[in-house]
Amino acid sequence: MSESSPLLEVKKISKRFGGVHALEDVDFRLYPGEVVALAGDNGAGKSTLTKIISGVFPPDSGEISFQGVQISLANPQDARARGIETIYQDLALADNLDVGANVFLGREPMTRRFGLPMIDRKRMREEAAKTLDTLDIGLDRLDRPVRALSGGQRQCVAIGRALHWQAQVMIMDEPTAALGVPEQRKVLALIKSLKARGVGIVFISHNLHDIFAASDRIVVLRRGINAGERATVDANPDEIVRMMVG
Ligand SMILES: Nc1ncnc2c1ncn2[C@@H]1O[C@H](COP(=O)(O)OP(=O)(O)OP(=O)(O)O)[C@@H](O)[C@H]1O
Ligand SMILES: [Mg+2]
């Protein structure tokens, strides 16, 4: 794959819910190491587009290509196995498990003790610690249940998990919405570090400040159609808002 070919490409995607055209003939591209912000008013179709890319449901029509090959995604596990990870605000961390166990959720390493297969908790914590260290995520203890973590720390664990499993595409739907300012900064810094590793990132936010701080390109959806896109350096917030409301 050459530098200039998209990591992910979506062509003429449409999706209806009953009478609602959630998406109509939407095209979308994401390149390696690029952060694309999806902007749009409530109900514009942002989450629907990301759910199609992450295998939550299939489009009614249109094509998805990943690393130059046309694919269909049966379910979110299928997307994850290909390296397409999604991070939601109140994401699927298991509250009662510790950080290490959450990084390995569903993919736990096994060991044997007294001849019996057991989950290798020590190895999970050690490897989780390594990954979180490379991201400079300062969690002092990995043996606490994640229920004891703040929203931002949980977000960091989810990002660490995606990175640990070599995500190529990271979809973040409102990752900073419920966070305090220092935690928002941490998540934005993590986005930069993923980008530097060549991960392509789809970033949804209602916060124009975050969009301008984090993205390389802004794609605007309006009532299910692609209302235009801009390189972030060439865009200004007023123009983006005008594109959003039409
Ligand atoms: N599972 C569903 N069933 C029925 N209608 C849906 C479903 N998901 C989305 N829709 C409808 O599709 C349209 C697009 O919704 P979507 O959630 O993609 O918008 P959004 O841009 O993410 O909005 P928000 O900024 O509020 O999150 C809306 O009209 C919504 O009501
Ligand atoms: Mg949404």
Side-chain angles (χ1 to χ4, degrees):
M1 202 173 66
S2 80
E3 275 294 291
S4 57
S5 56
L7 192 53
L8 184 78
E9 183 164 27
V10 156
K11 281 189 198 152
K12 290 203 167 296
I13 288 280
S14 296
K15 181 78 185 176
R16 250 173 200 280
F17 295 106
V20 178
H21 248 129
L23 293 173
E24 208 171 346
D25 285 341
V26 168
D27 292 340
F28 178 81
R29 268 169 292 107
L30 177 68
Y31 290 87
E34 186 188 35
V35 183
V36 176
L38 276 183
D41 221 342
N42 294 113
K46 305 179 298 293
S47 294
T48 302
L49 179 58
T50 59
K51 284 175 182 166
I52 288 172
I53 298 169
S54 58
V56 174
F57 42 60
D60 295 338
S61 58
E63 287 174 13
I64 306 173
S65 299
F66 180 59
Q67 296 177 326
V69 180
Q70 200 180 322
I71 57 166
S72 66
L73 298 167
N75 51 48
Q77 291 72 26
D78 188 9
R80 225 175 291 141
R82 292 171 190 273
I84 302 173
E85 291 270 354
T86 309
I87 292 174
Y88 300 99
Q89 173 51 39
D90 65 353
L91 32 96
L93 292 184
D95 272 339
N96 53 323
L97 299 179
D98 68 27
V99 173
N102 267 284
V103 168
F104 283 87
L105 199 61
R107 301 181 262 210
E108 292 82 358
M110 302 301 285
T111 183
R112 292 187 86 80
R113 196 175 301 160
F114 308 119
L116 295 172
M118 307 257 300
I119 292 177
D120 193 343
R121 298 193 183 283
K122 184 161 168 280
R123 189 170 143 212
M124 287 202 303
R125 272 186 213 132
E126 284 168 2
E127 291 196 10
K130 253 188 252 161
T131 297
L132 297 178
D133 269 357
T134 61
L135 284 174
D136 195 23
I137 295 172
L139 286 178
D140 48 344
R141 291 176 53 188
L142 299 186
D143 59 350
R144 285 191 305 177
V146 297
R147 129 168 51 81
L149 302 181
S150 73
Q153 289 171 328
R154 295 169 62 97
Q155 205 71 21
C156 290
V157 172
I159 293 170
R161 171 168 69 189
L163 193 75
H164 186 85
W165 297 99
Q166 269 107 42
Q168 307 285 307
V169 171
M170 188 88 92
I171 299 164
M172 307 173 109
D173 197 342
E174 301 277 2
T176 55
L179 306 184
V181 173
E183 296 194 315
Q184 288 176 7
R185 292 220 176 100
K186 181 79 210 179
V187 170
L188 294 180
L190 277 180
I191 289 176
K192 291 224 164 75
S193 107
L194 294 174
K195 175 182 158 63
R197 287 154 202 257
V199 178
I201 297 158
V202 182
F203 176 75
I204 297 182
S205 176
H206 280 274
N207 183 329
L208 281 178
H209 183 266
D210 283 358
I211 286 181
F212 276 81
S215 73
D216 300 304
R217 192 152 57 87
I218 304 171
V219 172
V220 181
L221 293 178
R222 184 171 69 235
R223 274 178 265 118
I225 64 159
N226 196 327
E229 60 177 75
R230 294 282 182 277
T232 307
V233 287
D234 300 332
N236 72 70
D238 289 342
E239 181 192 23
I240 297 298
V241 171
R242 275 198 302 277
M243 287 161 76
M244 282 165 56
V245 298

